[in-house]
Amino acid sequence: MQATAIAQPNIALIKYWGKRDVDRNLPAAGSISITLSDLYTEVDVELDADLTGDSLLTNGIADQHRLARMSDCLDMVIGEQRLHARVTSISNFPIAAGLASSASVFAAATVAAAAAAGLSYNTQKLARLAGQASGSAARSLFAGFTELSNVADTISVKSLCDVLSWPLQVVVAITATTPKATGSSEAMEISRATSPFYDKWIEQQAQDLATARAAIERRDFASLATVAEHNCLKMHSVMWASRPPMVYWNAATLRCLQTVRKLQEAGHDVFFTIDAGPQVKAVCMPDHADAVREALSATPGVQEIMTSGLGPAARLVKNRGE
Ligand code: DP6
């Protein structure tokens, strides 16, 4: 009973930061993201009656840190009476450093675990299960532009625009590769409990979602740029005003923002977004990707650049069944 799945991380343009229900991992508001093509995580799940416990190898190293969360994910997908599992996860980008690795890891793990156990769930069900493991993972079950809506007691995820209809590029400027000090789950609870801006942030999400949805529908880059940058800076303002403050940026993060501003002033179609980490993601029209890449590469403190188009949904690549 073994299966392998691949999932791409996704980058939120309208962010998820805050939970309505921690136990069920329900987000306090919706979010809109783009799934990437060139970054990926491959997860293999093998269920074995001879094992006495679960194990997790992340990029070849025993990963005690994430094992409990992975076991919880397998319990949710397969059920607590399941066989123990040998899980291996390989990503081609730094993990736990604000590059949305939990999204690709748990999206791939959900798809692989369901297949290994012989469960044929539809995409919506897989998205809900992945979202219980990590909110952003639900969005990696879909390709391209994806909206996660939060209605009543459940989430629903849908595609807003396919990859070919608006083939934007994303240039990722990596400014640090060490894992972040405070993980997103813990940090967003601190924000909810302590940030004076939290309620206002959640209250304004519906408006930002509507603006972004309309911009995507019209392929209106300027309008999407304005709302995405504003939404990102609002989320970081919520984080900065939390107690203790959560400042994920470093000096190079800010320099990258200045680089993006200069590119915009020079007429390039590009905007930035930043998640719970110091990396800057510059989203641009395809014709501008070379200039964006060059300018960010030359920005002091940038250690590595990755470029990606928009990519596919999480999918099964190998299923050796029972
Ligand atoms: C800043 O999905 O990692 O990337 O549900 O607690 O696992 P959990 O949180 P997670 O949070 C992602 C936060 C973000 C914004 C986003 O991706 O929408």
Side-chain angles (χ1 to χ4, degrees), residues 87-157:
V87 182
T88 57
S89 166
I90 295 169
S91 297
N92 71 337
F93 59 94
I95 53 168
L99 274 174
S101 59
S102 70
S104 52
V105 168
F106 289 109
T110 299
V111 173
L119 301 162
S120 45
Y121 292 145
N122 64 26
T123 311
Q124 203 60 242
K125 168 91 177 170
L126 289 167
R128 286 191 184 129
L129 289 165
Q132 273 176 266
S134 183
S136 55
R139 301 184 308 235
S140 280
L141 264 296
F142 288 78
F145 291 84
T146 298
E147 176 166 7
L148 185 154
S149 311
N150 190 358
V151 187
D153 257 3
T154 186
I155 59 158
S156 75
V157 190

Side-chain angles (χ1 to χ4, degrees), residues 45-115:
V45 175
E46 184 178 10
L47 301 166
D48 186 340
D50 292 335
L51 293 174
T52 52
D54 295 333
S55 65
L56 172 63
L57 270 189
T58 298
N59 290 340
I61 296 167
D63 189 347
Q64 282 307 121
H65 179 62
R66 285 181 198 80
L67 178 59
R69 204 167 169 195
M70 181 58 75
S71 294
D72 287 349
C73 172
L74 301 183
D75 285 351
M76 274 181 300
V77 176
I78 307 172
E80 285 174 23
Q81 304 308 316
R82 65 180 171 83
L83 300 179
H84 290 302
R86 203 176 283 116
V87 182
T88 57
S89 166
I90 295 169
S91 297
N92 71 337
F93 59 94
I95 53 168
L99 274 174
S101 59
S102 70
S104 52
V105 168
F106 289 109
T110 299
V111 173

Side-chain angles (χ1 to χ4, degrees), residues 10 12 14-17 19 25 31 69 102 131 133-137 139 184-185 188 235 239 275-276:
N10 67 77
I14 302 300
K15 310 285 189 188
Y16 148 50
W17 193 254
K19 298 175 200 279
N25 206 38
S31 52
R69 204 167 169 195
S102 70
S134 183
S136 55
R139 301 184 308 235
S184 299
S185 311
M188 59 177 91
M235 179 184 76
M239 293 169 171
D275 292 298

Side-chain angles (χ1 to χ4, degrees), residues 17-266:
W17 193 254
K19 298 175 200 279
R20 183 152 54 94
D21 182 330
V22 174
D23 290 340
R24 286 180 297 167
N25 206 38
L26 286 176
S31 52
I32 290 179
S33 63
I34 42 179
T35 300
L36 303 182
S37 58
D38 293 45
L39 282 66
Y40 67 85
T41 301
E42 180 174 310
V43 175
D44 182 86
V45 175
E46 184 178 10
L47 301 166
D48 186 340
D50 292 335
L51 293 174
T52 52
D54 295 333
S55 65
L56 172 63
L57 270 189
T58 298
N59 290 340
I61 296 167
D63 189 347
Q64 282 307 121
H65 179 62
R66 285 181 198 80
L67 178 59
R69 204 167 169 195
M70 181 58 75
S71 294
D72 287 349
C73 172
L74 301 183
D75 285 351
M76 274 181 300
V77 176
I78 307 172
E80 285 174 23
Q81 304 308 316
R82 65 180 171 83
L83 300 179
H84 290 302
R86 203 176 283 116
V87 182
T88 57
S89 166
I90 295 169
S91 297
N92 71 337
F93 59 94
I95 53 168
L99 274 174
S101 59
S102 70
S104 52
V105 168
F106 289 109
T110 299
V111 173
L119 301 162
S120 45
Y121 292 145
N122 64 26
T123 311
Q124 203 60 242
K125 168 91 177 170
L126 289 167
R128 286 191 184 129
L129 289 165
Q132 273 176 266
S134 183
S136 55
R139 301 184 308 235
S140 280
L141 264 296
F142 288 78
F145 291 84
T146 298
E147 176 166 7
L148 185 154
S149 311
N150 190 358
V151 187
D153 257 3
T154 186
I155 59 158
S156 75
V157 190
K158 67 171 184 202
S159 173
L160 291 178
C161 166
D162 66 57
V163 173
L164 295 177
S165 302
W166 206 16
L168 300 184
Q169 289 276 310
V170 183
V171 179
V172 182
I174 296 172
T175 65
T177 51
T178 43
K180 54 195 168 200
T182 316
S184 299
S185 311
E186 188 191 342
M188 59 177 91
E189 269 306 283
I190 294 172
S191 287
R192 187 190 57 74
T194 66
S195 179
F197 305 152
Y198 180 81
D199 289 345
K200 198 76 186 166
W201 152 253
I202 296 299
E203 189 188 307
Q204 292 189 356
Q205 279 297 90
Q207 183 55 54
D208 286 3
L209 287 164
T211 305
R213 210 180 293 125
I216 292 163
E217 191 160 353
R218 296 194 311 270
R219 318 280 190 263
D220 180 344
F221 189 87
S223 166
L224 184 62
T226 304
V227 71
E229 286 191 352
H230 184 56
N231 191 267
C232 164
L233 293 176
K234 280 195 291 184
M235 179 184 76
H236 285 276
S237 304
V238 171
M239 293 169 171
W240 284 35
S242 301
R243 290 183 176 206
M246 251 87 56
V247 180
Y248 287 106
W249 302 9
N250 58 32
T253 311
L254 203 51
R255 278 190 219 110
C256 289
L257 296 201
Q258 288 166 336
T259 298
V260 172
R261 280 284 177 267
K262 281 194 193 127
L263 285 161
Q264 290 169 333
E265 281 157 22

